[in-house]
Amino acid sequence: DIHMTQSPSTLSGSVGDRVTITCRASQSINTWLAWYQQKPGKAPNLLIYDASTLESGVPSRFSGSGSGTEFTLTISSLQPDDFATYYCQHYNSYSPTFGQGTKLEIK
Amino acid sequence: EVHLLESGGGFVQPGGSLRLSCSASGFTFSKYAMSWVRQAPGKGLEWVSSISSSSGSTYYADSVKGRFTISRDNSKKTQYLQMNSLRAEDTAVYFCAKDLNDVMISFGLDHWGQGTPVTVSS
């Protein structure tokens, strides 16, 4: 199975900050990568797919980049609603896997 | 608007069985693959199983292979997860999710239900 590693595991930021979360795959996954946001007690919400395509309705302050084994999710200007846990997921094979998550906390 | 509603979760003893259901609305159910993803208490997301739009292909995580069976009824717009030989480590919230693509399965998930909790304990 392809292993996904996110960094950092926890990230502190303030409203207005630019933050970046990294996701690394144990082998190349081309651009078959999605990013999800999850708030406590809620279902995950798709933000980005195919590494860089913004899902409909997601604010443009979210962006994704990367290919192969290294990917990033960037929030250009943190808003109060963005404090949550973020997961990457590859879908390059018949056994998709998620990263362990990055918790974005208020500084 | 896409809506997915899970049901069937609950409390079960080790070795027992449960069948989860996921009722779908707001999209052409028969055109999309569907998946189940679980989240143990305080832990991350784990893909469990997926099924193609026509039920012709099914996929399972190694952790559930041989114990869980995914199925769907397109006439009822519902997918199912039959869980047998349950273990304590199967305790989790189980989410139903819709595939991104309507042509072939991608395993990318663009809509999720709110989840149904499963607790396996003696």
Side-chain angles (χ1 to χ4, degrees):
Chain A
D1 286 359
I2 299 172
H3 187 67
M4 308 300 292
T5 303
Q6 289 181 232
S7 60
S9 296
T10 307
L11 180 60
S12 296
S14 301
V15 173
D17 283 355
R18 178 184 181 92
V19 298
T20 298
I21 299 169
T22 297
C23 179
R24 290 185 173 87
S26 59
Q27 64 188 70
S28 177
I29 57 170
N30 297 300
T31 56
W32 302 117
L33 184 100
W35 289 98
Y36 302 89
Q37 177 194 69
Q38 188 181 32
K39 297 180 180 178
K42 301 294 186 181
N45 181 47
L46 177 66
L47 301 174
I48 302 280
Y49 63 94
D50 294 350
S52 61
T53 302
L54 193 67
E55 170 70 345
S56 176
V58 174
S60 59
R61 63 181 179 274
F62 291 92
S63 64
S65 65
S67 66
T69 62
E70 187 151 339
F71 302 85
T72 59
L73 172 70
T74 298
I75 309 173
S76 61
S77 177
L78 276 176
Q79 298 302 302
D81 192 49
D82 300 340
F83 294 98
T85 299
Y86 293 84
Y87 294 93
C88 63
Q89 177 222 352
H90 90 80
Y91 45 101
N92 184 65
S93 71
Y94 296 153
S95 184
T97 53
F98 292 86
Q100 81 279 16
T102 295
K103 186 174 183 180
L104 178 53
E105 299 178 329
I106 300 173
K107 187 182 292 182
Chain B
E1 181 187 358
V2 172
H3 190 59
L4 300 169
L5 182 64
E6 302 94 337
S7 61
F11 187 95
V12 63
Q13 293 187 332
S17 298
L18 277 177
R19 188 174 88 151
L20 307 183
S21 300
C22 171
S23 177
S25 61
F27 65 102
T28 305
F29 182 75
S30 61
K31 288 188 175 181
Y32 290 87
M34 298 293 293
S35 296
W36 291 95
V37 175
R38 69 185 180 184
Q39 187 169 38
K43 302 297 185 182
L45 301 169
E46 179 189 15
W47 170 78
V48 173
S49 182
S50 299
I51 185 168
S52 64
S53 59
S54 65
S55 303
S57 298
T58 57
Y59 310 87
Y60 298 95
D62 287 344
S63 58
V64 307
K65 202 171 293 182
R67 300 188 299 122
F68 290 12
T69 302
I70 191 171
S71 62
R72 63 190 292 162
D73 184 334
N74 286 344
S75 68
K76 295 182 178 180
K77 301 180 182 179
T78 301
Q79 73 157 343
Y80 306 96
L81 187 67
Q82 177 67 43
M83 305 187 295
N84 298 331
S85 302
L86 282 161
R87 306 166 179 168
E89 54 264 37
D90 296 318
T91 295
V93 173
Y94 285 72
F95 296 101
C96 164
K98 170 187 166 291
D99 202 88
L100 274 169
N101 288 342
D102 63 353
V103 176
M104 60 183 292
I105 189 169
S106 73
F107 300 96
L109 306 168
D110 64 355
H111 290 85
W112 299 57
Q114 287 306 301
T116 186
V118 171
T119 302
V120 184
S121 176
S122 55

